[in-house]
Amino acid sequence: MADNRAVAYEGPGKVQVIDTPYPEFELKDGPGVNPANVGRKVPHGVILKTIATNICGSDQHMVRGRTTAPQDLVLGHEITGEVIEVGPDVEFIKVGDICSVPFNISCGRCRNCKERKTGICLNVNPDRPGSAYGYVDMGGWVGGQAQFVLVPYADWNLLKFPDPEQALEKILDLTMLSDILPTGFHGAVTSGVTVGSTVYIAGAGPVGLAAAASALLLGAAVVIVADMNDDRLAQARSFGCETINLTEGDPQDQIEQILGVPEVDCAIDAVGFEAKGHGKDAEEAPATVLNSLMEITRAGGELGIPGLYVTGDPGGIDEAAQKGSLSLSLGTGWAKSLAFTTGQCPVMKYNRQLMMAILYDRIHIAKAVNAKAIPLEDAPKGYAEFDHGAATKFVLDPNGYLGASAA
């Protein structure tokens, strides 16, 4: 049996690379695995040799201790890999295929999956609709920041790249199909971006940058990205965005300076529940972004909310925030007839189209998010740099496909 190395959460602020079992076609007991899922057979699955697996801001929430993630949870839900074993019930995916793995785990059989709502599959997480690899309260499917990973319902879940050689040439772009590019695109689509739109995006992390690139792909006239990190704002400007530094105060006046009016057609929250207030010395205020977006979006506009919100936050600023209960100015949203879309991005709704856009050079997402490949063993360093605001999307290289070498 092959060895396996993986990145695990070891407590607030700490991850390490550990030895972990090679995957089998059965869900075993372990950190974070729902007891009802233990022993679940996966004849419909495949085992991937990981080509690329990325550090995500959602992982960072766990690593900061802002969720109820257990110690030794293997992390990672942004996975691209080569199929090396197939289960007996797999019909169409073959050994040697190079595939993108949607971070949503879905069965393809339930009502929600049949309605393309793969982010809230009813059959893969006994606790609630929706599941993901290596994530707290998501059923316990083992994460993919590892050399090898099990993918269930492979014929349904995997997006096979049509040409392996072409895929490897564009792998830093294609690895973004597992999460951040479809998630950013979902934020843009659900906020109503179309040709000529003016767009405001809160957050210049990788998802915010992916949303900005997606808005431009969809034909937006002006894309304004707001953050408090100068390096991340510079990254947004590098591919044609306007930017706002929120340390300078409320965004409304700055929007008016750019557009001539203090409002936009479409707004996207790419920050989530660890939001801060506006201004130089702003403290955490988790409803800030949502309330701000309602103020600056035109009447009749739409808000896309791919930023993560949780129902359990041990580090929340008060008892309400610890339960995911925020003080929203819903009256503002109602009075302006605003539409809201929240929740996991249903990756399979978009990933094939975005794959084609990458393969035919309509979008260069790796450049937009400043992707950087690093060895798996450097994951703790990557997490630390990302937590300190690096304007970089760290792509882990567990098996040497990307040629990353230790620093």
Side-chain angles (χ1 to χ4, degrees):
M1 180 176 292
D3 294 327
N4 196 11
R5 296 278 285 167
V7 181
Y9 169 67
E10 297 300 335
K14 184 179 180 182
V15 299
Q16 66 181 27
V17 183
I18 63 170
D19 292 316
T20 192
Y22 183 82
E24 301 178 35
F25 293 107
E26 178 180 326
L27 196 54
K28 304 289 189 178
D29 195 9
V33 179
N34 190 299
N37 261 350
V38 174
R40 184 169 180 162
K41 306 295 184 183
V42 191
H44 41 70
V46 302
I47 294 171
L48 295 183
K49 186 177 183 180
T50 306
I51 293 174
T53 178
N54 314 329
I55 296 175
C56 179
S58 298
D59 299 319
Q60 201 68 274
H61 290 305
M62 288 189 290
V63 173
R64 291 188 186 118
R66 296 300 297 267
T67 71
T68 55
Q71 185 176 348
D72 293 328
L73 180 74
V74 173
L75 302 169
H77 55 270
E78 299 190 7
I79 308 162
T80 307
E82 179 180 358
V83 178
I84 59 171
E85 293 186 50
V86 298
D89 290 352
V90 176
E91 187 174 0
F92 304 113
I93 294 293
K94 306 298 182 185
V95 170
D97 288 344
I98 294 178
C99 304
S100 177
V101 185
F103 80 89
N104 323 108
I105 302 172
S106 56
C107 70
R109 296 154 164 80
C110 71
R111 173 180 177 175
N112 284 346
C113 285
K114 290 177 180 179
E115 293 177 359
R116 304 183 75 192
K117 300 172 184 175
T118 52
I120 43 174
C121 174
L122 301 174
N123 288 333
V124 288
N125 183 357
D127 277 343
R128 66 180 74 172
S131 189
Y133 303 87
Y135 213 85
V136 59
D137 296 331
M138 288 291 187
W141 300 91
V142 178
Q145 287 176 11
Q147 292 175 303
F148 305 96
V149 63
L150 172 68
V151 175
Y153 303 103
D155 283 326
W156 166 253
N157 279 307
L158 289 177
L159 174 65
K160 175 184 170 181
F161 298 138
D163 182 330
E165 185 174 335
Q166 182 189 30
L168 289 173
E169 289 175 356
K170 292 181 176 288
I171 199 64
L172 280 182
D173 291 288
L174 292 171
T175 191
M176 306 305 164
L177 291 172
S178 57
D179 182 356
I180 67 162
L181 180 53
T183 293
F185 193 82
H186 182 61
V189 168
T190 55
S191 70
V193 177
T194 187
V195 174
S197 297
T198 57
V199 185
Y200 176 86
I201 299 169
V207 169
L209 295 172
S214 297
L216 293 170
L217 181 66
L218 289 165
V222 183
V223 176
I224 303 170
V225 180
D227 204 290
M228 297 180 173
N229 181 313
D230 283 332
D231 291 338
R232 290 181 172 183
L233 292 173
Q235 188 62 32
R237 290 192 296 273
S238 75
F239 60 94
C241 300
E242 301 285 344
T243 59
I244 287 175
N245 191 321
L246 293 171
T247 64
E248 299 174 9
D250 189 276
Q252 205 155 22
D253 291 341
Q254 297 181 69
I255 290 171
E256 186 168 17
Q257 292 173 21
I258 295 168
L259 298 177
V261 293
E263 63 182 16
V264 294
D265 299 322
C266 314
I268 301 168
D269 174 2
V271 177
F273 72 100
E274 289 192 65
K276 293 182 178 180
H278 300 143
K280 187 175 181 180
D281 298 314
E283 301 290 335
E284 185 168 316
T288 297
V289 171
L290 294 172
N291 286 330
S292 174
L293 295 193
M294 286 189 275
E295 290 287 345
I296 65 178
T297 304
R298 68 174 179 85
E302 299 175 76
L303 277 61
I305 309 173
L308 175 67
Y309 289 86
V310 296
T311 56
D313 173 13
I317 60 172
D318 54 34
E319 186 176 350
Q322 290 167 13
K323 299 176 182 177
S325 180
L326 309 183
S327 297
L328 297 180
S329 180
L330 191 59
T332 301
W334 190 94
K336 296 176 74 173
S337 294
L338 299 176
F340 302 71
T341 300
T342 66
Q344 288 187 34
C345 164
V347 171
M348 293 174 66
K349 188 173 181 178
Y350 308 109
N351 61 352
R352 181 171 295 279
Q353 303 96 300
L354 292 171
M355 174 187 74
M356 297 302 288
I358 289 170
L359 293 177
Y360 290 92
D361 294 318
R362 299 302 180 190
I363 188 169
H364 298 94
I365 187 62
K367 183 178 180 180
V369 301
N370 192 27
K372 178 182 178 182
I374 62 174
L376 185 74
E377 300 294 332
D378 282 357
K381 180 180 177 182
Y383 269 98
E385 291 184 10
F386 189 39
D387 190 45
H388 284 95
T392 304
K393 177 67 173 178
F394 289 103
V395 178
L396 301 179
D397 181 14
N399 290 299
Y401 284 86
L402 309 182
S405 57

